[in-house]
Amino acid sequence: MKTVSVAAALIFRTADDGTKQLFATQRGYGDWRGWWEFPGGKIEAGESAPAALRREIQEELAATISVGAPAGTIEYDYPDFHLSMQCFCCTLAAGTLRLLEHDAAAWLTAETLHSVKWLPADELLLDAVEKLLR
């Protein structure tokens, strides 16, 4: 089975009321259209995961992020491929997040994190994310 290596951004912010929030996007294309995910994308040959993440967020959301600490690596078997997803805690460094490839986006809290239909691989990280949001 083919392995696809990707990097995913857990983009966090603190709202005006002090609530921690995570940015999530809804896929606007492909077999999994309508499902929610952590934004990011494929790691190209010779590219580090953080570099891939900065590039992908610029391409998909027209913004610059600061890539911080690793949040874990998810290994998941989809029907047609094995996904290896390196996840990083990130913050917005410059620009405004604009949807160029996704249908929708939301800033989720620990209480609303489970209110969307996550991609199966992304769902595996939700317990750890919930702890980061508290």
Side-chain angles (χ1 to χ4, degrees):
M1 184 178 292
K2 178 182 173 182
T3 295
V4 177
S5 297
V6 302
L10 308 180
I11 303 172
F12 291 100
R13 75 173 184 187
T14 302
D16 292 339
D17 66 359
T19 305
K20 292 181 183 176
Q21 298 176 329
L22 170 79
F23 189 74
T25 53
Q26 185 181 37
R27 289 179 67 88
Y29 56 89
D31 294 340
W32 297 90
R33 183 178 185 162
W35 292 62
W36 288 74
E37 65 183 349
F38 303 117
K42 291 181 184 173
I43 301 170
E44 301 294 338
E47 190 175 43
S48 70
L53 201 46
R54 286 188 288 273
R55 176 184 52 75
E56 286 285 346
I57 297 305
Q58 185 64 48
E59 290 173 3
E60 293 180 4
L61 298 167
T64 302
I65 57 168
S66 293
V67 179
T73 299
I74 299 296
E75 303 289 339
Y76 187 83
D77 288 330
Y78 280 98
D80 299 331
F81 63 95
H82 174 79
L83 179 74
S84 180
M85 180 170 65
Q86 296 180 54
C87 304
F88 294 86
C89 295
C90 302
T91 56
L92 186 61
T96 302
L97 296 165
R98 293 184 325 173
L99 302 182
L100 302 177
E101 296 182 11
H102 297 89
D103 282 344
W107 286 100
L108 302 173
T109 64
E111 292 74 28
T112 61
L113 188 62
H114 297 278
S115 66
V116 299
K117 187 176 183 179
W118 288 95
L119 286 171
D122 295 55
E123 194 171 319
L124 296 175
L125 198 61
L126 292 184
D127 288 343
V129 170
E130 189 172 351
K131 290 176 185 170
L132 293 170
L133 288 168
R134 297 216 179 265

